[in-house]
Amino acid sequence: MLRHAIAPVRRYTKASHDVVRHSRLNSDAKVLLLYVQGLPESEAAAPKPLSEHAARLGLKGRAYQKAKQLLADCGYLHEWREQGARGRWVTEQLLANVTLTRDEASRAREGGAGADGDDCVPSERPPTVGRPGERTVGDSPQTEDSGEKDLPHPPPQDRRDLDVDEAAGAIGEEPEPEAEPEAEPGSAPASALELAEAEGVLLSLRHAHRDLLLGVREARLLADAAAEWLRRGVSAPDLRRALTTGLPADGIRSAVGFLRHRLIQKLPAARRQVTPTPPPERTAAPARRSLVTCPGPGDEHVFRPRNDETHCLRCRTAAAFEATLRLQPLSEPWRTRVQECAAGA
């Protein structure tokens, strides 16, 4: 790839890499944002709707609506719809070249602290009273050369290390190494797969909120605490939701400190080891009986009794049906009943 770039000396706009390389913004949204950012002070003093600036770029209809929706989803565009004193609805728009949350955009709209949290606006200093004085001209101060070399100061040591070294020098013994913190009872060391998954979750938090941006070394420092969540049965989406829900409204000063505190304080309870109940013992099936000859009518046939039966099922069913017919004789025809009723009348 050949690259040849000449920096312009006038009539240019500084574009942030976060805007130019944004993966979700299309070309129309980027051009519209840079166009509004590069407006001169004369046009910026008289605010106009975003649709008029888009019309000057040739963005109309569906193209403008899509670019506007992308800017709003990514946090660059914020709108407020309010009803004025005369009952007319007014829509106020705020377009920024950095992503802002709803609270930060509201503070910027009200004229308070901006996105960077600067409360004071730089201004010109008042001139010093009086006329400028004359500059004293002279040589550098004379120093005595003793012939010794000036060596740089050693790097400062930790106060705790200095105290340990002084105590060891006074007693004549070497300081003992610091004991490593003991692991939680019942917790196994995290595997490489769990550490890699936890590190991936921590590095992906910047997509949910820009204040949760972590470096690779910072994510590795917190990977053990995050892997403990995964080891306790929490899935990766649930861990990401627990770390990005309920963020402070005034922003996050230290992403590492905030995530370490949340990982320790909101650590779920360990899963209980449930002992599976043994299946109930099956009772032994009764032994199969031998075949018995049925004494019922018909051809000779055999059957296998279950209890103490002497006849097979077919013979017992036929005998029960015949007994039912003997107990309940067939009713007389209806004609005979009608004749009897007529004779009795």
Side-chain angles (χ1 to χ4, degrees):
M1 180 188 72
L2 301 178
R3 179 177 180 272
H4 179 69
I6 300 177
V9 295
R10 62 182 182 276
R11 299 179 62 84
Y12 63 90
T13 301
K14 293 183 179 180
S16 173
H17 287 176
D18 296 337
V19 177
V20 177
R21 302 175 183 176
H22 204 290
S23 59
R24 295 182 58 188
L25 295 178
N26 58 7
S27 59
D28 294 339
K30 295 176 183 179
V31 171
L32 180 59
L33 177 59
L34 296 178
Y35 173 80
V36 177
Q37 178 185 347
L39 289 176
E41 296 294 336
S42 58
E43 296 188 17
K48 297 180 181 179
L50 188 62
S51 58
E52 294 188 10
H53 297 294
R56 297 182 64 178
L57 293 175
L59 297 179
K60 298 179 181 180
R62 179 57 183 168
Y64 165 68
Q65 294 295 334
K66 186 176 181 180
K68 177 182 175 183
Q69 184 65 32
L70 290 175
L71 292 174
D73 294 342
C74 296
Y76 292 99
L77 177 63
H78 298 269
E79 293 184 340
W80 293 270
R81 184 175 175 81
E82 298 178 351
Q83 191 172 10
R86 310 179 75 178
R88 300 181 61 182
W89 287 92
V90 179
T91 301
E92 186 174 355
Q93 296 174 328
L94 173 64
L95 185 64
N97 61 345
V98 294
T99 57
L100 299 177
T101 61
R102 192 64 177 179
D103 298 336
E104 294 172 348
S106 300
R107 290 198 298 268
R109 176 197 178 197
E110 295 172 0
D116 298 335
D118 299 334
D119 297 335
C120 58
V121 180
S123 59
E124 297 182 358
R125 298 181 58 184
T128 307
V129 179
R131 298 179 180 178
E134 297 180 357
R135 182 178 180 181
T136 304
V137 180
D139 298 334
S140 59
Q142 299 293 334
T143 57
E144 296 181 0
D145 188 6
S146 59
E148 298 179 357
K149 295 182 179 180
D150 295 335
L151 299 177
H153 295 283
Q157 300 180 1
D158 193 359
R159 184 62 184 173
R160 182 172 54 186
D161 299 339
L162 294 176
D163 296 342
V164 172
D165 294 342
E166 292 176 1
I171 300 176
E173 298 179 357
E174 295 183 358
E176 297 181 358
E178 297 182 0
E180 296 183 356
E182 298 181 357
E184 272 188 49
S187 62
S191 61
L193 183 60
E194 292 177 347
L195 289 176
E197 185 178 3
E199 185 177 347
V201 173
L202 294 174
L203 292 176
S204 66
L205 297 180
R206 60 188 180 90
H207 299 293
H209 198 277
R210 61 189 181 92
D211 290 345
L212 298 179
L213 176 62
L214 293 176
V216 177
R217 294 185 178 181
E218 295 174 341
R220 289 176 181 174
L221 291 177
L222 302 177
D224 291 334
E228 182 65 24
W229 285 61
L230 302 178
R231 193 162 47 251
R232 297 194 176 191
V234 181
S235 61
D238 293 340
L239 174 59
R240 187 181 296 105
R241 190 178 302 107
L243 296 178
T244 57
T245 303
L247 300 179
D250 54 349
I252 300 173
R253 296 184 178 180
S254 174
V256 179
F258 173 78
L259 293 176
R260 181 186 294 112
H261 179 270
R262 179 159 287 194
L263 286 172
I264 295 175
Q265 296 299 327
K266 287 193 173 185
L267 182 65
R271 291 185 296 181
R272 296 181 179 179
Q273 298 294 338
V274 180
T275 305
T277 57
E281 297 181 358
R282 295 183 178 181
T283 58
R288 299 182 64 181
R289 300 188 179 186
S290 59
L291 296 175
V292 178
T293 303
C294 178
D299 299 335
E300 182 180 358
H301 56 279
V302 294
F303 73 99
R304 193 182 304 277
R306 293 188 176 182
N307 295 323
D308 298 330
E309 300 90 347
T310 57
H311 293 72
C312 65
L313 178 61
R314 182 179 298 177
C315 295
R316 284 180 287 152
T317 304
F321 182 72
E322 293 176 358
T324 304
L325 293 180
R326 287 194 300 269
L327 294 177
Q328 296 181 1
L330 295 176
S331 59
E332 299 177 355
W334 63 273
R335 294 181 184 275
T336 305
R337 290 189 179 185
V338 171
Q339 294 175 2
E340 293 176 357
C341 291

